[in-house]
Amino acid sequence: PMLDAGIKPHVVCALDHHEISRRFYEGLTTPDVDGITLIADPKVNPAVISAWPGAIRFVGNEQLDMIVGPVCSSPKGEVKPGATVAHLAHYIARFMGADPAIFIGQDLGFTDGQYYSANAAIHRVWAGELGPFCSLESMEWQRIARFKRRLIQREDVFGRPMFTDEQLASYLGQFEVDFAACVQRGQRVIDATEGGVRKQHAEVMTLAEALERAPEGDPIELPMPARADLGSAAPAVAARLSETIEQATRIGELSRETAGLLGEMERGTDQRVVNDLVRRVHAIRDEVVAIAPGWRLVGFLDQSGALARVRHDRAIELDETLDELGEQRRRIARDRENVERVANAADELGSLVESARAAIAEGGDRVVRSSEAERIEIEQAPGRAEAFIGVDAGMSGLATARDLRTPVVDGLNALQMTVMRLLRAESLSGITLLTGNVDEARSLLGALAGESRVAIERVDGAALRARTRAVGRARQFGPASWRGGIAGLTCYDEGFDPTIADGVAERRGVDAVVLVGADWALVDPAITDAVVGRWREAPEANRITFTQAPPGFAPALIDRASLRTIARAQGESGAVASFGGLVAYLPHRPQQDPIGTRLCVGIDESVRDAGGRATAGSSAEIGRLAAFATRDGWLDASAAAVARGLGREPGDACPRHLELELCTGRLGGGPWTTWRRGSLEPIEREVMTLPLAHAVLRQLAEAREDAVLTISGSGDALLHDRALDVVTMAGELGIAGVHLRTDLLKEGVSAEAIIESGATVVSIDLLAGSRETYRALTGADRFDAVLERTAQLIELARARRHGGLMTPWIVPRITRSDAVVAEIPDFFDRWTMVCGGAQIDALPAPVEGARIGPLPVPEVAQRVRDADLLRVCSDGRCPALLGDGWTPAPELDLRSMELERVWRTARGIRRGAAAPAEHEASAA
């Protein structure tokens, strides 16, 4: 973000221990960082150093100098160790003589209910999850709420209450100690964050004021560090490491020998024997202490052992019941525990240094990075993992019509391709098809039905189809997301019924189930092995494993215990009883987002950001897959090659998702109405006629069996007298999913009529958590009435559950703004618990004078929307660019043009608007 803003820092800092921190440097090239130095604490994760393409300096570190020896070590400046890069940056600035130190972006809390700033690197990581029911605004709040048990309320620089957490509060404490020391030395500290927690000993001002008052100085010119000749130093370092390994081994041996001698002392009663044992122990101690640098490195690793020794000494001193012999025995027991800890630390040192020596032998880059799927020795890993594939020949995982018998390439259908790719995964004990029609599944497999690793299990086909339909309807409006369906449902939930899968796993004696779709024709065998391998690393800890790949690229794994848990809860817990429920934010059971843990297997960012499904769930998808497979080959293609290949395929002839405005009127007024219509003045457009709606929807349904419709717009859809007729008509024409968005203010439209209309999703703009805020936003005192009608809809939808899931889905929505930021926590948690999911929408456009505005959508997510969505205004005209809201382009008019031609023209305009950014990306 700094480079995009034209700001080139002199220095950036790194000290994070987790490999995920490499994401901060994704996409950077050597020219991008020319003149910028990365200053790193040597304890930083090696993946960070591998990812940085420019100059690097390391802070001095005594342990590192001891490890590499005098050949590679050299005098370096040392600074205080800090808890964060911000502390490290401050210490480096003071080391260089900077005064004052001006801090920006140091909220140390969640200003305006937001964890990261706009355009943060994590937003690109989240891009593959975003859609109509998963916004950056929702992801930002969930990022905070996942740690709600550690949240602390503090005061911000404006005197308003805000949240921070225990970790950030500890960082604040360290800063305040540092700031107090600076002030005592006569140095100034300026907090120009323009938000965030109030910090003691810091002057608060805006950045503009701080820069205006700052003393002028000479421009800083930092000499670039020379690249070290690592090749010539490698043999000397390897020899040094070998010596350290030998020392660690010797320390371990001597420590265990000492533990044995101390054990004899504890049991001994003859003081002469004990004295002899003491002399032998002291001799060993002298030998161990003389081993350099091994002894000091072991001591550095064994800091918890030193603490335990102090604790034991204190306990002995305070125990007044001990006689001389009793005290002696307590001290011997203390020493025995101490040397056992030393032995374990010596083993750990040897293991760590051996890894370093192996890295040098392999070329110095033996680092697992999140851009690479990890490989393991499959044959050494225990546990039976089978791929489970739910097979319904006539329905895709998105609950859309598709014929699984359709050949994709070389006469093979998508199921055959899926199985053939999975058979190349060494980690799978078998592949099992779950189906209500065994003969049909066997016919679909063809010759593959005779494969020894392939089995077919008969299950309740009607139950599987009901679950697939309910899950598919929750995911139809964001099908390219791996997570991000309504209620957090993932692509792994498509075609997956926990109760059915649990029964099959029980019969087959399976330890873990690998979830794959029947039309995931390009599923990657290598990533499949990595997903299974991650589980096998630590089966008790890694009960689920997955990737952030878009649907179809890679499977997920769930172990039997977790599968059994959600299967037993399926009838009562709704969407929580799903794979999505295991990785989602749940208000009653908040957890760290698993994408930042070992449960998430790293993949190449080109795959993560592919922005589309690698499935054969529709005619359009089959066409793309067939073109790719014919041109590039498919059986041996890697996930990265698939991502590149599918990305080259032309766009669809018609949009998949149509947003249809029926009218422009709204009841009430207030800021909400202004935001929705994008104007202070009322918008006068003709209402949508039924013949025009029919013509447009008929063209859409004929062009795509996977088409979906959202009825929304500048006005409230229910103010159109025939709104529910349009909903019903869309279903009758063959539109796969219909999403009705309304504020429920219109009288005379019953909850029963809405439910019976055939809508698959009903979004309700509740907008606020209190009557007062609702009135301020809408100008209408109708909050209680809207709540009552919402409750009626939810009750009716629950009564019509399919596959244990609400039908239709009911989604309460709130638009993030200055007025509601304090109400979002309760709103989101309450409605997530009641409905399975709630949505925090972005403001349609920035509001003049407001602190809060819409978060910029990452390029990947914007590209998906541009390739997917067309808006149609009530008079039949269409906006060309989605950023134009509901402002139509005169050249796009469905009253005189066919839908296909309008879409082709709109896509051309969008490509032209995106061309400068695409050109820059291509050049980079």
Side-chain angles (χ1 to χ4, degrees), residues 222-250:
L222 293 180
M224 287 293 102
R227 266 291 174 189
D229 183 4
L230 299 180
S232 62
V237 174
R240 174 74 169 195
L241 296 180
S242 296
E243 180 186 354
T244 304
I245 293 169
E246 292 173 4
Q247 292 179 357
T249 303
R250 181 59 178 158

Side-chain angles (χ1 to χ4, degrees), residues 600-684:
C600 183
V601 176
I603 56 173
D604 191 284
E605 64 190 77
S606 67
V607 177
R608 185 198 68 199
D609 297 341
R613 292 174 71 91
T615 59
S618 67
S619 299
E621 289 180 357
I622 290 173
R624 278 195 292 273
L625 260 64
F628 165 78
T630 303
R631 182 186 64 234
D632 297 338
W634 63 276
L635 192 56
D636 298 312
S638 68
V642 172
R644 288 193 302 271
L646 293 181
R648 293 199 298 269
E649 298 304 326
D652 299 327
C654 273
R656 189 196 62 83
H657 185 184
L658 203 71
E659 237 181 284
L660 188 67
E661 179 186 72
L662 297 184
C663 60
T664 58
R666 283 194 176 273
L667 296 175
W672 164 244
T673 299
T674 301
W675 299 340
R676 286 297 294 174
R677 67 190 179 198
S679 168
L680 289 171
E681 301 300 323
I683 295 174
E684 299 294 340

Side-chain angles (χ1 to χ4, degrees), residues 408-422 424 448 520-525 625-626 628-639 641-642:
V408 178
V409 64
D410 298 332
L412 298 169
N413 60 51
L415 178 61
Q416 291 171 315
M417 295 171 70
T418 302
V419 171
M420 290 173 70
R421 293 273 287 183
L422 287 175
R424 296 189 163 222
L448 290 170
W520 291 18
L522 298 176
V523 62
D524 190 85
L625 260 64
F628 165 78
T630 303
R631 182 186 64 234
D632 297 338
W634 63 276
L635 192 56
D636 298 312
S638 68
V642 172

Side-chain angles (χ1 to χ4, degrees), residues 390-708:
V391 177
D392 186 322
M395 179 187 287
S396 75
L398 291 174
T400 57
R402 66 104 166 84
D403 189 346
L404 200 51
R405 294 167 296 190
T406 303
V408 178
V409 64
D410 298 332
L412 298 169
N413 60 51
L415 178 61
Q416 291 171 315
M417 295 171 70
T418 302
V419 171
M420 290 173 70
R421 293 273 287 183
L422 287 175
L423 285 171
R424 296 189 163 222
E426 300 172 21
S427 60
L428 293 176
S429 304
I431 301 165
T432 301
L433 275 55
L434 283 58
T435 178
N437 190 332
V438 173
D439 292 338
E440 182 178 60
R442 189 173 289 115
S443 174
L444 285 167
L445 281 175
L448 290 170
E451 283 281 345
S452 61
R453 292 169 62 196
V454 178
I456 303 175
E457 287 274 348
R458 185 186 303 277
V459 299
D460 185 340
L464 181 60
R465 174 166 274 219
R467 177 77 177 191
T468 300
R469 181 178 289 111
V471 170
R473 288 173 170 174
R475 289 194 43 79
Q476 288 172 343
F477 295 88
S481 66
W482 74 269
R483 178 174 66 175
I486 298 170
L489 289 168
T490 69
C491 61
Y492 312 119
D493 293 296
E494 297 173 14
F496 167 53
D497 184 300
T499 302
I500 290 173
D502 183 50
V504 175
E506 177 72 28
R507 291 197 297 273
R508 297 187 61 79
V510 173
D511 298 304
V513 171
V514 178
L515 303 175
V516 184
D519 50 28
W520 291 18
L522 298 176
V523 62
D524 190 85
I527 303 180
T528 300
D529 283 340
V531 167
V532 177
R534 183 61 60 81
W535 164 65
R536 285 178 172 153
E537 285 179 11
E540 293 302 316
N542 301 339
R543 293 191 174 277
I544 60 169
T545 55
F546 60 96
T547 75
Q548 292 175 280
F553 281 92
L557 176 145
I558 179 169
D559 78 348
R560 278 298 311 286
S562 301
L563 177 58
R564 191 178 304 115
T565 297
I566 62 175
R568 290 175 177 173
Q570 186 169 329
E572 300 297 326
S573 299
V576 173
S578 64
F579 189 90
L582 299 175
V583 296
Y585 162 67
L586 301 177
H588 66 287
R589 198 184 67 217
Q591 61 172 338
Q592 179 184 357
D593 193 336
I595 68 170
T597 71
R598 293 284 293 170
L599 303 179
C600 183
V601 176
I603 56 173
D604 191 284
E605 64 190 77
S606 67
V607 177
R608 185 198 68 199
D609 297 341
R613 292 174 71 91
T615 59
S618 67
S619 299
E621 289 180 357
I622 290 173
R624 278 195 292 273
L625 260 64
F628 165 78
T630 303
R631 182 186 64 234
D632 297 338
W634 63 276
L635 192 56
D636 298 312
S638 68
V642 172
R644 288 193 302 271
L646 293 181
R648 293 199 298 269
E649 298 304 326
D652 299 327
C654 273
R656 189 196 62 83
H657 185 184
L658 203 71
E659 237 181 284
L660 188 67
E661 179 186 72
L662 297 184
C663 60
T664 58
R666 283 194 176 273
L667 296 175
W672 164 244
T673 299
T674 301
W675 299 340
R676 286 297 294 174
R677 67 190 179 198
S679 168
L680 289 171
E681 301 300 323
I683 295 174
E684 299 294 340
R685 275 195 290 267
E686 299 173 19
V687 299
M688 175 67 64
T689 65
L690 283 187
L692 180 57
H694 185 277
V696 173
L697 296 178
R698 176 182 52 77
Q699 293 177 65
L700 181 64
E702 290 175 352
R704 307 191 61 133
E705 66 271 39
D706 61 342
V708 294

